[in-house]
Amino acid sequence: MSHRLLCGFLIWVAAAPNSFGQTAAAQSDPDWVAHYQAQVQPLLKTKCFACHSGLKQQAGLRLDSRAYMQTGGDSGSAIEGAEASLLMQRVTAQDDTRMPPPTEGSALTSDEIAKLAGWLRAGAVAPADEVPLIPEQHWAFQPIDTDSALAKAADAGAVAQQAGQSTHPIDALVSKQRLARTLPAARPVERHRLLRRLYLDLIGLLPTPEQVADARPVEEIVDELLATPLYGQRWGRHWMDIWRYTDWYGLGDQLRNSQKHLWHWRDWIVDSLNADKGYDRMILEMLAGDELAPEDQQAIAGTGFLARNYYLFNRTTWLDDTIEHTGKAFLGLTLNCCKCHDHKYDPLTQQDYYNFRAIFEPHQVRLDPLPGTADLELDGLPRVFDDHLDAKTYLHRRGDPAQPDSETSIQPQIPAHFGSAQLTIRSVDLPLAAYAPGTRQEVRHTHMLAARARRQQAEQQVAQARAALAEQASDSPEAVQQASAVTIAAARLAVCDQALISLQATIAADDVRFGLIASDSNALRQAAREQLRLQLAEAQLQLLEAGDKEDQKKAASHKIEQLQQQLADEQSLEQHFLSLKVSRKALETPEHTDRDYPADYSPISTGRRLALARWIASPENPLTARVAVNHIWLRHFGQPLVENVFDFGLRTQPPAQLELLDYLSAQFMQSGWSVKSLHRLLVTSQLYALGDEHYSRDSAAQTADSSNIYWWRGNVRRMEAQVVRDNLLYLAGQLDTSLGGPPQPLGPDSRRRSLYLKHSLDDRDLFLSMFDDADLLQCYRRSESIVPQQALALANSRLSMEMSVHIAKQITDRLETSEVRLADSSEYEFGDNAPNHCLATVAADASQQFVDRAFWTILGRPASSGEAQLALQFIQAFCHQSDGESSSDAVQRAQIRLVHSLLNHNDFIAIR
C-alpha cells in the first residue's frame, strides 16, 4: 500500500464517525447484509480464505463467517474496534505483518479497503443464518447416493404422471424445478427441426430430406444413429477437445511435444465410443492400459492420453501438464493451483500436489512396433511405461524445481481430503513381450521380411550396375566410373547379407538371454561377432563411398581398425552384444540420443497409475461421473448443468439442477458407464425437444430466468468448426467418412472428416480456426465467437464456393430419383417480367422443386412463401442478365449462386 494511499485512508477514517456499536436496527440493515454478501465476503474469500477458513486456520483464525471473525484467533477478535480492529491493522500494514503476505498475494486496493471499512463501521452485519465454509460438506465432494437419486426421480415421475406430464425422469426432475417457480415451458420444435438436431448432435452430419421425412419413432432413429460408426467420429472430436489431443510438433524433424503417430490414440477414442466401451474402462486404459493389460495393444493405445503430454525440454513441465489435466478432465479439480502453495480455495495442499506427481514420476514414453512395419518413422504405437522405478519426488519450494525440499516426505497418493479412499498400490509383473518387444514373434517376422526386402533391392541394384558397366567401352572414363558403382553396389549387398545373418543370430541369442530356449553359452558371443561384422561391412561401405574426401576416409579407416581389433578379442566379444532393438524411447533430454537407451525395459511396473485409475473410475468417487455427465449434457443442450466444467471445487456453487445431475450420474454408473445409454436418455426427453422461444423474448419466463438455468426453453447453438466444414463436404457428396488412419495434410483438397486433419501448434486448418477450433492447450468448453471472418469464410473461401457447385448438382440429381414429396411453401409467385429465354425453356415447377429441396437440404426446413418467391425471382433475374448463355447453363449457375447464398444463411450453421 503506497504512502499516499495509507495517508488518504487514515484521513478518511479520522473523519468518519466511530459507529461500530450501532443499534440493532442499523446492524440488521438489509443493505449492509447485501453489501457483505456481494462485496466483503467475496473479497475475504479471494484474499484470506486460503489461510483463514475451514481449509486452514493460521493463528487459530477463521474469517469465513462473522461469528468466527468476532471470536477471533490467537490474538483475539478480528473485527472488534471497527477501523482499529486487528483485521484493518493487518490489511493496511506496511511491514511484514501485512495480510495477505507479499508471497501469497497482492495488497488490498484502496477501493477494497473502503468496502471492508464501511462494513465494519456499519456493525459488521451478516445474515443471521450464515453458514461457514465446511469443505467436507461441499456438494461435489458428497458421494452419489444411487438409491436416493433414483428414488427422487421416481417420485418426480409419479407427480408428473398425476399432472398429466411427461414421466421421463429428466422431464420430471426439470418440471419439478420449473413448477416451483411458475416457469412455463417453451413449445417443442417441429419434428423436422428435432431430427436435424439429433443428426447433428449424434453423428455431426445433416439429415437428407428423405431422412427428415422418416416417420419412425424417434427412439428407433436414435438407436440407428448411435449404431453407425459416424457417431464415434462425431463424439470422438468432443473427447479429443477435453483430453487435449494434438499431433506431434517441434522444430523441423525434432519432436518436442506430443508423440509421432499419436493418431492411434485418436482412433482408440473413436473405436471405444463406437463399441460403447464403459467410460470407467476408458479411464483405466488411458491412465494405465500398459499395467492393466500389458499385452493388449488396443488397451495400451489408450495411454496416448499421457503420451500427449510429453515435452522434450523439461520433465517438470511435462508432469505439470499431466497432473493439471488429469485433475481437470476426470475429477473437475484444479490441482495445478497448489503447485507453489496450498490451494487457496479447495482442500488441497501443496504436499497433495507432489504426492499426486509421485504417482506419475516413474513413467516415460516410448514408440512400440506394430505388425507390418519395421520403420518407426512410418508407424508405431505411442505409449507409456514405468521406467525409473526408484525415481524420487521432492516438494518444490514455491514451485521452483531448483529448490527441492528433501525433508518433506512425498508418497504416491491422492489428496488427503479423500483420505478414506487412499490408494492400494501393487507392483505389476510384466510379461516378456511387454518389456522386451523384440521377442514378439510378429515383430521379428516383420523385421526379417524388411531385411530380406532390403537385400533383394540391393541385389537388383548390383545387377543394374553390372548391366550398365557392360554397355560401356572397357577403356572409357565412363567404364571406370561405372566399375566403381558396381563395387559400391556389391558392398551394399554385402551389408544387407550380413544384416540378415546378424538379425538371425541376434534373435537366437535373445531366445537364450530371455530363457525362451535352452541355454547356449556361445549364442551371445556368436551374435556379438555377427553384429560387429555388420558394423565392419558398413564401415567398409563408408570407406568406398568417401571417394576422395580424406576426412571421411580417415574416419572410416579408423572405425575399420577398431572393429577388427574387437573381433579379434574373443574373450570380450560377449560384451558387445546388443538385443534386438525394435522400439524407441522418447528422449529424456535434448542431449540424449536413441543409442543411450537399451532395447528392453523394466520387467516390473509400479502399479501406481493403475491404482489411481481404479480410484478415479470407482463408483464411490464423488466427482468422476458428475464431471463426465456435465460434459455430455453441455454438448447436447448448449450449456452445462455446472457452469465451470473443469472446476467442481469450493468456488463452484451447487447447480440449480443438482438432483438431475446426481440422477444422471447414478444412472450412468448403473448402466455400466455406458455413454450411448446416456445419450439415449438425454435425447429422448421432451426437454431435448424444446424450442428456443425466440419469438417471446419479453415473456415472463425470459425475465425470471434469462440464463435458462431452469431449462424452460432450448438453446440455439452454432455448429462447431469441424461440423461446418464436414457438412459443406457432405452436402456436396465429397466427404470421405472412412475410419481411422494417419493425420491428413492440410489444404483445400482434403476430403476426410475434420477430426482426421493434422492438428497441432504448427499445423492448424485456417477454415476451422475461423469458427473457434479447439484450443490445443485446453479446450474443456469451446468458445463461440461471432466475428466477420466467419461470414467471409462461408462467402469467399474456396471450400464454400467449390462445394456450392457440387451441392447444386447433388440437389438436381436427387430431384430426378427421389420419391419423397417435400413440404413446400403455400404459393410461389413468378415475377411479371420473367425473361422468356430462361424460364420459358425450364419448367417453372422444376425451379420450384429445386428451391424446395435446396431449403430442405441445406437449412433442414421448408422455405417460407416469401423466401421461395425471392429465390425464384433471383433465378429469373440471374437468367435475365445472362445474355449469350444457354438457358440451361444460366439456370445452373443461378442454382449454384442460390445454394451459396443458403450456405451463408444463419439457419445453416445454427442448431435450433
Side-chain angles (χ1 to χ4, degrees), residues 464-738:
Q464 292 169 357
R466 286 175 176 167
L469 176 61
E471 295 177 359
Q472 305 297 329
S474 58
D475 57 349
S476 67
E478 290 79 5
V480 174
Q481 184 177 2
Q482 195 59 46
S484 176
V486 170
T487 302
I488 291 174
R492 288 176 181 157
L493 178 58
V495 169
C496 291
D497 284 334
Q498 185 57 40
L500 202 53
I501 295 170
S502 175
L503 177 58
Q504 292 168 332
T506 300
I507 290 173
D510 276 343
D511 283 345
V512 171
R513 181 188 170 208
F514 294 110
L516 297 175
I517 61 174
S519 178
D520 180 353
S521 59
N522 189 50
L524 268 64
R525 185 177 294 106
Q526 180 59 30
R529 185 181 295 111
E530 299 303 343
Q531 289 174 0
L532 288 172
R533 285 174 178 168
L534 173 59
Q535 294 177 49
L536 181 60
E538 290 171 341
Q540 290 168 338
L541 174 61
Q542 291 169 4
L543 181 62
L544 290 172
E545 291 178 331
D548 57 358
K549 298 174 182 175
E550 291 301 324
D551 56 338
Q552 295 181 17
K553 287 172 64 177
K554 184 176 181 180
S557 297
H558 180 66
K559 182 67 173 176
I560 290 171
E561 183 179 346
Q562 281 185 322
L563 290 166
Q564 288 172 337
Q565 291 174 356
Q566 291 170 355
L567 278 165
D569 186 359
E570 286 287 331
Q571 298 302 316
S572 60
L573 257 183
E574 193 170 318
Q575 73 181 30
H576 298 294
F577 170 73
L578 296 172
S579 285
L580 179 60
K581 192 169 189 177
V582 297
S583 73
R584 181 189 301 161
K585 177 182 169 182
L587 301 182
E588 293 186 20
T589 74
E591 291 74 31
H592 285 187
T593 68
D594 185 49
R595 292 187 298 274
D596 295 317
Y597 306 132
D600 51 275
Y601 307 97
S602 169
I604 298 173
S605 194
T606 63
R608 297 178 186 180
R609 288 178 286 108
L610 182 56
L612 172 66
R614 283 179 170 151
W615 172 71
I616 290 177
S618 168
E620 282 71 45
N621 191 304
L623 292 163
T624 309
R626 287 183 174 119
V627 171
V629 164
N630 196 50
H631 275 299
I632 295 170
W633 180 279
L634 162 65
R635 287 156 176 84
H636 276 307
F637 291 91
Q639 70 184 51
L641 294 168
V642 180
E643 186 63 24
N644 193 332
V645 297
F646 61 79
D647 184 0
F648 277 41
L650 301 184
R651 283 177 294 179
T652 300
Q653 296 299 311
Q657 303 287 350
L658 181 56
E659 282 188 2
L660 174 59
L661 176 63
D662 281 358
Y663 162 74
L664 293 172
S665 301
Q667 191 65 41
F668 183 40
M669 292 187 289
Q670 276 214 335
S671 72
W673 301 78
S674 167
V675 178
K676 285 189 178 181
S677 292
L678 183 57
H679 289 307
R680 192 177 294 107
L681 182 63
L682 297 181
V683 303
T684 56
S685 66
Q686 287 188 5
L687 179 67
Y688 180 76
L690 290 185
D692 67 304
E693 208 68 354
H694 61 278
Y695 48 81
S696 60
R697 291 299 185 194
D698 296 329
S699 68
Q702 179 67 23
T703 303
D705 182 19
S706 60
S707 299
N708 196 29
I709 63 173
Y710 295 107
W711 302 96
W712 59 275
R713 59 174 170 80
N715 293 305
V716 178
R717 294 166 282 145
R718 194 193 65 212
M719 292 178 178
E720 296 100 333
Q722 284 76 12
V723 181
V724 176
R725 177 185 173 275
D726 288 352
N727 277 288
L728 288 174
L729 293 167
Y730 181 64
L731 293 177
Q734 300 289 304
L735 184 66
D736 178 0
T737 59
S738 58

Side-chain angles (χ1 to χ4, degrees), residues 15 71 77 120 122 158 179 285 333 347 440 483 558 619 679 689 698 775 799 862:
T71 301
S77 173
L120 289 169
L179 288 173
E285 293 184 4
L333 291 178
R440 301 175 193 165
H558 180 66
H679 289 307
D698 296 329
D775 185 332
L799 177 67

Side-chain angles (χ1 to χ4, degrees), residues 248-323:
W248 79 274
Y249 58 101
L251 182 63
D253 292 333
Q254 186 185 54
L255 189 157
R256 296 183 172 185
N257 300 268
S258 189
Q259 285 295 300
K260 292 185 178 180
H261 317 305
L262 195 72
W263 58 269
H264 286 289
W265 174 45
R266 177 245 291 149
D267 286 356
W268 174 89
I269 296 173
V270 172
D271 293 343
S272 296
L273 293 170
N274 278 331
D276 201 20
K277 183 181 293 182
Y279 182 73
D280 56 340
R281 175 72 185 198
M282 293 177 73
I283 292 172
L284 289 170
E285 293 184 4
M286 280 190 283
L287 293 176
D290 58 309
E291 295 183 324
L292 178 72
E295 293 187 274
D296 184 349
Q297 300 285 52
Q298 290 301 313
I300 293 170
T303 64
F305 170 79
L306 295 175
R308 174 265 175 270
N309 294 314
Y310 171 81
Y311 179 58
L312 172 62
F313 296 105
N314 191 305
R315 173 71 171 170
T316 290
T317 299
W318 172 1
L319 291 182
D320 286 347
D321 282 350
T322 301
I323 295 163

